[in-house]
Amino acid sequence: MPELPEVETVRTGLELVMRGRRFIHVEQRRKDLRFPLPERFAERLTGRKVSRLTRRAKYILMHLDRGEVLAVHLGMTGRFSVSRARRGSASQLGEFTHEHGSDTKHDHLVFTMSGGPVVTYNDARRFGYMTLIPEAELDHDAFFRGLGVEPMSGELDAAYLARRANGKKTDLKAFLMDQRIVAGLGNIYVCEALFRAGLNPWRGASSLAAKNGKPTAAAGRLVATVKAVLQDAIDAGGSTLRDYRQANGEVGSFQNAFAVYGREGEPCMKPGCRGTVRRKTQGGRSTFCCPACQR
Ligand SMILES: [Zn+2]
């Protein structure tokens, strides 16, 4: 499943070919993905210009003229690929084009943009979804209402974590995975952030706050490592677990750079630590950690 850095990578890739362009033709091959597509979806998109692309949690938001937003969630296997309508226009698209592969059975939506790019949404398992939301109602929409702070924003700081964790009975990992606290954090990057911070995933979340409610040193370390693991992954172009691909059709390289995730039984990578990485189920998901240096 694409996590936040992968979604951010796709957003960046799509921005390069969609920003400032109009939907000239929308080919809708199904009525639904995970959920039904909006009424008159193709008709409502056709002619609209994409003013900018942003991200909220793991949603890509395509802001359209006339005040609507096309919100896209990639689910498990959703991906975009970019090709071109005619060979003659290739030079305008540069390195962000690639010839679309032969796996067209799961191409559910094909967007032909002004100026030549063809953006295809492919989703083998169809857990992804798209919806059109009036921009003014975005924060109140069922998908976005109640989401916590963006981890890469200034809103995530040690004081915020301490305030939300104070008195909580849950463990640290469950706390970080709670989308109402921090939006868009998933299993892989939570494991990585806790490892870098030297914090045990089973430690109580309330340990992020001191008795007086002020953030502890652990809260400060955790904020720094959450931001760092996400930024490193975004810089590396997102990981490519399973059949996931970047928007430009190239495969990223971060999957080899995980320090603890997927390394069960391997020696801990922290300098000076002689521990071994363990995997244990926690809240229904695999947690990877080094019991020797994560306290
Ligand atoms: Zn260790």
Side-chain angles (χ1 to χ4, degrees), residues 195 268 270 273-275 290 292-294:
F195 173 74
C268 175
K270 199 157 274 186
C273 179
R274 304 176 84 173
C290 171
C293 65
Q294 290 182 251

Side-chain angles (χ1 to χ4, degrees), residues 147-182:
L147 279 179
V149 299
E150 280 293 319
M152 302 299 285
S153 78
E155 289 178 291
L156 177 64
D157 61 15
Y160 172 80
L161 278 192
R163 185 156 44 81
R164 298 297 302 265
N166 201 0
K168 272 251 166 28
K169 298 278 185 267
T170 52
D171 62 54
L172 195 47
K173 189 186 176 199
F175 173 74
L176 290 174
M177 299 275 287
D178 186 341
Q179 300 299 299
R180 295 166 298 180
I181 310 284
V182 185

Side-chain angles (χ1 to χ4, degrees), residues 11 13 35 38-39 49 58 65 82 84 88 102 107 129 143 177 207 228 248 250 268 283:
R11 186 199 67 78
F35 306 119
E39 299 271 328
K49 185 175 177 178
K58 295 203 291 186
D65 60 355
V82 178
R84 52 186 178 253
S102 57
D107 288 353
Y129 46 97
F143 289 128
M177 299 275 287
S207 66
N248 63 8
E250 291 182 6
C268 175

Side-chain angles (χ1 to χ4, degrees), residues 49-292:
K49 185 175 177 178
V50 181
S51 54
R52 63 202 171 98
L53 287 92
T54 60
R55 181 189 52 72
R56 176 75 169 114
K58 295 203 291 186
Y59 293 87
I60 295 167
L61 304 178
M62 302 182 186
H63 299 258
L64 311 175
D65 60 355
R66 297 197 191 166
E68 274 192 315
V69 173
L70 173 57
V72 179
H73 195 288
L74 300 172
M76 303 281 286
T77 52
R79 66 187 188 215
F80 284 99
S81 59
V82 178
S83 55
R84 52 186 178 253
R86 289 179 303 276
R87 286 191 172 276
S89 59
S91 58
Q92 295 166 349
L93 304 176
E95 62 192 289
F96 294 98
T97 63
H98 77 294
E99 294 299 339
H100 189 56
S102 57
D103 175 27
T104 55
K105 189 172 63 176
H106 303 294
D107 288 353
H108 304 307
L109 289 153
V110 182
F111 304 136
T112 303
M113 308 303 293
S114 55
V118 177
V119 178
T120 302
Y121 180 74
N122 179 294
D123 192 345
R125 296 186 63 183
R126 266 190 287 120
F127 281 110
Y129 46 97
M130 294 190 194
T131 183
L132 281 165
I133 305 168
E135 186 150 23
E137 293 169 23
L138 207 53
D139 290 341
H140 309 290
D141 186 85
F143 289 128
F144 300 95
R145 196 169 49 212
L147 279 179
V149 299
E150 280 293 319
M152 302 299 285
S153 78
E155 289 178 291
L156 177 64
D157 61 15
Y160 172 80
L161 278 192
R163 185 156 44 81
R164 298 297 302 265
N166 201 0
K168 272 251 166 28
K169 298 278 185 267
T170 52
D171 62 54
L172 195 47
K173 189 186 176 199
F175 173 74
L176 290 174
M177 299 275 287
D178 186 341
Q179 300 299 299
R180 295 166 298 180
I181 310 284
V182 185
L185 273 189
N187 195 37
I188 295 176
Y189 295 102
V190 166
C191 287
E192 291 293 307
L194 289 169
F195 173 74
R196 279 203 204 182
L199 296 173
N200 192 291
W202 282 272
R203 169 205 268 255
S206 60
S207 66
L208 298 178
K211 279 211 178 73
N212 62 7
K214 292 260 162 51
T216 58
R221 286 209 306 282
L222 191 55
V223 165
T225 60
V226 163
K227 291 174 190 287
V229 294
L230 293 174
Q231 190 60 56
D232 285 354
I234 290 168
D235 290 347
S239 67
T240 55
L241 296 178
R242 301 210 182 102
D243 60 349
Y244 189 69
R245 284 197 238 168
Q246 288 185 22
N248 63 8
E250 291 182 6
V251 171
S253 58
F254 188 73
Q255 62 175 331
N256 300 317
F258 294 138
V260 73
Y261 187 86
R263 291 186 181 274
E264 182 183 16
E266 293 181 29
C268 175
M269 290 178 75
K270 199 157 274 186
C273 179
R274 304 176 84 173
T276 302
V277 175
R278 299 289 178 211
R279 179 173 69 88
K280 240 173 104 177
T281 303
Q282 184 177 17
R285 309 288 299 273
S286 283
T287 291
F288 294 86
C289 84
C290 171

